[in-house]
Amino acid sequence: MGIQWRESLSIGVEEIDRQHKELLQHFDRLLTACEEGQGKLELKNLLDFLSRYVVTHFGDEEAIQLHHNYPGYEAHRKEHDSFVARIRKLQDEIGQEGVAVYHVIETNNLLFKWLINHISKVDKELGRYLKGVTAGK
């Protein structure tokens, strides 16, 4: 099943695109582990990665937005905050209950929706804005 980076996901900011590629690689590991019946084992690794990844990645994205006076900053930041809250909720549940199959399914759904809705739409819009801003310099 796997998931691979496609240039159509590029927003045109090298560092952000690199970070998105890294996210997809980790997501692909979870999908591969699920196919091999090892999803529960890989989930904790992915959530640990995500808890570190979002601090760096979202901070980088938001700094770029502020630097370029991106008009969609507040809405974009709220999406980031929502994602962080969902990751923390999953980690808390797993810490209390242990990893269950539904945690794997919920994480897969969260990441698919994030990929489809956030990276390919919201981040792409940011990329278009930045391209316009930098073209005017």
Side-chain angles (χ1 to χ4, degrees):
M1 176 169 178
I3 190 162
Q4 299 292 322
W5 173 259
R6 293 180 177 86
E7 282 306 312
S8 63
L9 294 171
S10 173
I11 71 161
V13 177
E14 187 175 329
E15 180 61 18
I16 300 304
D17 287 339
R18 184 193 63 71
Q19 291 173 1
H20 286 164
K21 287 176 187 176
E22 185 177 5
L23 172 63
L24 263 62
Q25 289 171 347
H26 283 267
F27 187 25
D28 184 61
R29 284 188 204 135
L30 177 62
L31 293 174
T32 300
C34 288
E35 289 173 357
E36 297 169 355
Q38 302 296 315
K40 290 183 358 179
L41 293 174
E42 183 59 32
L43 180 61
K44 187 170 179 340
N45 293 333
L46 176 65
L47 292 175
D48 289 345
F49 161 76
L50 284 174
S51 66
R52 293 185 312 274
Y53 165 87
V54 295
V55 170
T56 301
H57 175 66
F58 292 166
D60 290 349
E61 264 190 21
E62 291 169 11
I64 288 168
Q65 291 174 43
L66 288 172
H67 178 76
H68 292 284
N69 297 312
Y70 182 55
Y73 169 76
E74 282 300 323
H76 202 123
R77 185 186 55 76
K78 284 180 182 175
E79 286 200 21
H80 289 170
D81 291 348
S82 175
F83 185 84
V84 169
R86 299 227 10 230
I87 295 300
R88 285 190 181 136
K89 181 179 179 237
L90 280 165
Q91 287 180 307
D92 289 347
E93 285 180 13
I94 290 168
Q96 293 173 4
E97 306 166 12
V99 178
V101 171
Y102 73 89
H103 292 122
V104 176
I105 294 167
E106 186 174 342
T107 303
N108 278 331
N109 287 335
L110 173 63
L111 289 174
F112 269 123
K113 287 177 185 174
W114 188 256
L115 174 66
I116 292 166
N117 294 317
H118 189 83
I119 294 175
S120 66
K121 292 179 184 171
V122 177
D123 284 347
K124 289 288 276 189
E125 181 62 33
L126 170 62
R128 283 189 290 277
Y129 174 82
L130 293 172
K131 190 174 187 178
V133 168
T134 57
K137 290 185 177 182

